[in-house]
Amino acid sequence: DELINEQKNNNLVEKAALDALVKSLKEYCTTHSSPSYHSTNGTTSSSSSNSSEDQTIPLHLFLEWSERTVPLLHSCFATFMHTIYFPDLHVPSMITQFEFPNLKGNTSPLLGDKHSTLLFSLACMSPNLSGTSHRLFTTDNDGLSFNRLQLSLLGYNGPTLLIIRSTSGGIFGAYTASRWKESKDFYGTRDCFLYQLYPTVKMYRPKGGVAQNYMYCNPFARSRGGDKQAHGIGFGGTTTQPRLFIDESFDNCVGASGDGTFEAGPLLPPSSSTPGASSQKYFDVDAIEVWGVGGDDVVKNALHARSKQREIIDANIQKARQVDKRQFLDDFNTGIFESKAFAHKQQVQGRVDLHIEE
């Protein structure tokens, strides 16, 4: 019974993921068709029509959508055709080979099984999201702990994928190729993007303007709140209100629809099922996962860099402790410690109403 129920749940996840891709394509056609596109019977059908009749997507709209939303979709087709017709030959260098993500035995409650359509959608967004991935953090095992989330990221010198599921059911997040560090300022490069994975598939690249607020990691402990900035992990927006933001208390988390750095569009589901309803802005975290991506060699080197940074931090902590002990002994031997520890006793020696026990 458990296996049957698990299979049913996987089927539901797969259907929802496939529906999200189809919905994304239909939404793009609705927005960009002028003013309509053709149904399968050759007649013109309004893009806003609720007709149950199947609609044929114009090729140019399909190509535009795939380039903006799942730019590696073409490599999937090319790899598939090569595998069918030339199964014993290597894929030539002129073809961008599509490689399905490999979770290496790790489970992902957010993405489903190893052949998930959600994984396929992600792999079509960036070549770094195909191949081997390594799970760095999951609330399933690590809990809703910002310290553990931050510890999983800091020092990891490779591309990472952040996946968030809100309590309202939306799945969204961010990808960045830059190394994580604590900072009161934004940092990173253009090799990053925001995305929505469910209930529809969207990809939001940097716009390339003046604003370059790519990524942000500013814990409260860094300044003890003295900087008057947002404390947590964020992407886009400003230091007081990032566009995508996980507060270190996991309260007041934000998924806004626009900012100066990334392309505009919703990260969160609509506020209601009413057509045309605006998307939400704030969300409550249901689950979070962070994956190191990019393939075996990239992940291995990034994990090694994180281990080296942790060793340096531990060594500095031990050194600080040794310095504190040495200073304590020096103070004790020179009498400074005694003069500090018994300063109160010395100050009250002359009081006639006080009895001092020697």
Side-chain angles (χ1 to χ4, degrees):
D1 290 342
E2 290 182 2
L3 291 176
I4 293 175
N5 289 334
E6 182 179 352
Q7 185 60 48
K8 287 181 178 179
N9 290 334
N10 287 337
N11 290 340
L12 290 174
V13 171
E14 289 307 297
K15 184 180 184 305
L18 187 58
D19 287 346
L21 266 177
V22 174
K23 181 179 180 181
S24 174
L25 176 57
K26 287 184 175 180
E27 287 176 347
Y28 186 87
C29 292
T30 298
T31 304
H32 294 82
S33 59
S34 54
S36 59
Y37 55 98
H38 294 83
S39 62
T40 52
N41 63 8
T43 61
T44 299
S45 173
S46 170
S47 60
S48 60
S49 171
N50 292 324
S51 170
S52 60
E53 195 175 63
D54 290 337
Q55 294 173 325
T56 300
I57 306 297
L59 178 60
H60 74 281
L61 287 181
F62 174 80
L63 294 176
E64 288 176 8
W65 167 80
S66 63
E67 181 62 29
R68 290 182 60 88
T69 308
V70 281
L72 294 185
L73 187 62
H74 70 281
S75 68
C76 176
F77 293 145
T79 303
F80 175 74
M81 296 303 295
H82 179 86
T83 303
I84 293 296
Y85 289 103
F86 310 103
D88 299 325
L89 298 179
H90 292 292
V91 177
S93 58
M94 67 182 67
I95 297 178
T96 302
Q97 184 175 359
F98 181 86
E99 188 176 358
F100 205 86
N102 178 9
L103 304 184
K104 296 195 72 172
N106 292 303
T107 58
S108 173
L110 300 188
L111 297 176
D113 65 26
K114 62 181 180 179
H115 300 303
S116 165
T117 306
L118 292 175
L119 275 174
F120 171 76
S121 298
L122 283 172
C124 286
M125 293 182 181
S126 168
N128 276 338
L129 297 183
S130 61
T132 300
S133 300
H134 178 83
R135 192 179 64 197
L136 302 175
F137 175 88
T138 170
T139 49
D140 257 25
N141 295 339
D142 302 305
L144 278 176
S145 168
F146 185 82
N147 286 337
R148 291 181 180 179
L149 173 60
Q150 183 179 242
L151 183 63
S152 73
L153 292 172
L154 294 181
Y156 185 84
N157 193 17
T160 50
L161 178 71
L162 171 69
I163 309 172
I164 306 168
R165 183 173 65 201
S166 66
T167 53
S168 61
I171 301 177
F172 52 95
Y175 162 82
T176 178
S178 300
R179 179 176 184 150
W180 285 91
K181 64 180 181 180
E182 285 188 10
S183 176
K184 67 179 181 62
D185 302 312
F186 281 90
Y187 55 93
T189 69
R190 285 178 50 82
D191 193 359
C192 61
F193 58 83
L194 307 179
Y195 67 89
Q196 185 184 42
L197 206 56
Y198 185 80
T200 185
V201 179
K202 303 285 185 182
M203 180 180 178
Y204 308 115
R205 300 179 178 90
K207 293 189 287 190
V210 176
Q212 298 182 7
N213 295 348
Y214 301 123
M215 55 193 293
Y216 177 80
C217 180
N218 184 20
F220 178 85
R222 192 196 62 79
S223 66
R224 296 295 175 185
D227 55 11
K228 306 298 183 183
Q229 297 178 185
H231 297 121
I233 289 173
F235 299 84
T238 66
T239 55
T240 56
Q241 183 61 89
R243 174 176 174 180
L244 175 58
F245 180 61
I246 302 175
D247 188 276
E248 64 178 15
S249 67
F250 294 99
D251 295 326
N252 301 315
C253 295
V254 178
S257 297
D259 72 298
T261 300
F262 295 95
E263 295 170 331
L267 291 170
L268 305 180
S271 54
S272 71
S273 58
T274 305
S278 60
S279 63
Q280 305 171 55
K281 180 178 179 181
Y282 298 96
F283 67 91
D284 293 321
V285 173
D286 180 54
I288 295 176
E289 292 180 1
V290 179
W291 292 82
V293 296
D296 282 313
D297 292 339
V298 172
V299 170
K300 181 179 178 180
N301 292 334
L303 289 171
H304 178 71
R306 188 181 69 175
S307 296
K308 295 296 292 184
Q309 173 159 321
R310 289 180 178 179
E311 290 175 5
I312 293 173
I313 292 174
D314 291 341
N316 289 336
I317 291 174
Q318 292 299 322
K319 183 178 179 180
R321 287 174 177 171
Q322 291 173 1
V323 170
D324 289 343
K325 291 178 180 178
R326 190 179 301 115
Q327 186 65 50
F328 174 83
L329 292 174
D330 290 343
D331 288 348
F332 187 85
N333 292 331
T334 58
I336 295 177
F337 174 79
E338 183 179 1
S339 64
K340 291 179 179 178
F342 300 102
H344 180 69
K345 176 181 176 181
Q346 294 170 355
Q347 290 171 2
V348 299
Q349 283 287 350
R351 296 184 184 176
V352 296
D353 59 337
L354 181 67
H355 175 68
I356 303 293
E357 292 185 2
E358 297 294 344

